Amino acid sequence: MKNNLSEEIQKAAEILSQAKSAVIFSGAGMSAESGIATFRDPGGLWDRFDPAEVGTAPGIMSLLSEGGDTIREIIREVVEAFTLARPNAGHLALAELERMGVARSVITQNIDNLHREAGSTRVFEVHGNLYRFRCLNCESKFFVDRSDFLERLGDIARGSGPLSLEGIMERVPRCSCGGVSRPDVVMFGESVQELGEAIFEAHQSDVMLILGTSGVVYPAAMVPQEARKAGAVLIEINPTEVVFASKNDVYIREKAAVALPLIVEEVKKRKKKK
Ligand code: APR
């Protein structure tokens, strides 16, 4: 490992081993090593599809009125990536930090449920969760079985002929009240979820680990800024860009799934010496 990288890893570990209330803020780069494409990297989702079309309800309706081929293509990609996706070494390292009493919570922009599956228990999903549904009739929310839901999506992806909203809705799980439901994910133009809780967490943090985010989507991108206002030290891990960390913080130019396990090992060594 390049020397300055190991220095940064050591610095991050030193800061975390002294932290009283570390909070994690993650983006799509966190799940890259789990096989889920990011949005804005070359070849990412928004590099190949127009977010205004596939990331908004009106856009989806308009694509369905044209037969829905693009929707089928996106669903196919989601089914393929999400079926195989498992928590990577970075997710598991974060869950370890929680068990060690170092990490207080995870605030994530990701909808893939991987932080929960890795064992993190205080997870605030500001853009929702693909496996949680919201009833359009009674507004109640419920989780569905991941493989069953992905199987249903697979049926849609494998279908042929024009794709209609009815064709999608008949495969989407129903609420116990009989109402039609939709995935509880936040589309562009919709209100984010748990933002108040996320900002509260940021205000409680003395360290914020910022992992794999381009920081271009608001209001989620306010969270690291709120942590800095609260006096937190920022530790940012991103292999291609530094978005939030400044000279008094730590920036690690590495993949999250590579750097995080190294940091956690160093934190453990420091904790043992105490
Ligand atoms: N480890 C860490 N960071 C990585 C890795 C990796 N292995 N691979 C890529 N990255 C970094 C990229 O350099 C980039 O800065 O992850 C970031 C991914 O940025 P985006 O694709 O913009 O994802 P994100 O910041 O999570 O987007 C925020 O935009 O479209 C909406 O709702 C969507 O939640 C998403 C939001």
Side-chain angles (χ1 to χ4, degrees):
M1 173 168 285
K2 297 184 284 301
N3 190 33
N4 66 331
L5 190 58
S6 57
E7 269 168 38
E8 297 309 300
I9 297 273
Q10 297 294 341
K11 216 188 288 177
E14 186 55 32
I15 292 167
L16 282 168
S17 63
Q18 314 280 341
K20 302 268 179 306
S21 175
V23 171
I24 291 131
F25 180 73
S26 72
M30 184 73 222
S31 299
E33 265 63 51
S34 297
I36 298 178
T38 61
F39 293 93
R40 295 173 181 83
D41 283 315
L45 217 55
W46 300 152
D47 199 31
R48 290 173 291 117
F49 297 99
D50 175 359
E53 271 194 340
V54 299
T56 66
I60 288 173
M61 295 310 289
S62 134
L63 286 171
L64 285 174
S65 68
E66 295 156 16
D69 290 347
T70 307
I71 302 291
R72 257 211 182 93
E73 205 182 326
I74 283 245
I75 289 177
R76 205 171 292 126
E77 179 165 329
V78 166
V79 170
E80 206 173 291
F82 279 53
T83 301
L84 299 172
R86 294 293 177 271
N88 61 52
H91 294 104
L92 297 170
L94 295 177
E96 179 76 12
L97 277 184
E98 178 184 317
R99 282 191 292 275
M100 291 163 69
V102 174
R104 167 192 167 94
S105 55
V106 177
I107 299 158
T108 186
Q109 300 170 91
N110 303 338
I111 62 170
D112 56 33
N113 203 48
L114 291 177
H115 283 299
R116 290 180 193 278
E117 290 175 27
S120 292
T121 62
R122 291 192 80 235
V123 181
F124 298 94
E125 296 161 314
V126 292
H127 292 160
N129 182 309
L130 183 66
Y131 306 116
R132 186 175 57 231
F133 276 71
R134 172 160 51 86
C135 178
L136 302 177
N137 175 48
C138 69
E139 288 292 308
S140 64
K141 295 192 176 190
F142 55 97
F143 274 98
V144 295
D145 173 74
R146 164 185 165 146
S147 46
D148 172 57
F149 174 55
L150 289 170
E151 190 52 38
R152 291 164 180 256
L153 279 186
D155 290 344
I156 297 173
R158 285 185 291 272
S160 56
L163 180 59
S164 65
L165 184 62
E166 293 67 32
I168 293 177
M169 296 320 268
E170 70 194 17
R171 284 189 183 75
V172 167
R174 287 265 170 170
C175 174
S176 52
C177 80
V180 170
S181 65
R182 59 161 275 186
D184 188 26
V185 295
V186 177
M187 309 194 81
F188 285 111
E190 296 180 337
S191 315
V192 295
Q193 301 182 10
E194 301 184 300
L195 184 64
E197 293 87 335
I199 288 177
F200 177 79
E201 291 298 304
H203 289 165
Q204 304 306 309
S205 68
D206 56 359
V207 178
M208 180 162 277
L209 258 175
I210 301 165
L211 310 165
T213 183
S214 59
V216 296
V217 172
Y218 281 80
M222 279 169 60
V223 171
Q225 295 162 22
E226 289 299 316
R228 177 192 298 294
K229 272 190 223 162
V233 175
L234 307 184
I235 299 172
E236 185 167 4
I237 303 177
N238 188 319
T240 57
E241 57 180 337
V242 50
V243 180
F244 296 100
S246 65
K247 62 181 181 343
N248 306 325
D249 300 316
V250 178
Y251 168 55
I252 299 174
R253 182 177 284 274
E254 185 50 90
K255 295 177 178 175
V258 172
L260 285 168
L262 296 173
I263 293 170
V264 171
E265 280 318 300
E266 288 305 313
V267 172
K268 278 184 189 164
K269 286 179 197 163
R270 285 164 170 74
K271 291 256 181 212
K272 267 202 196 103
K273 280 183 199 150
K274 281 186 180 170

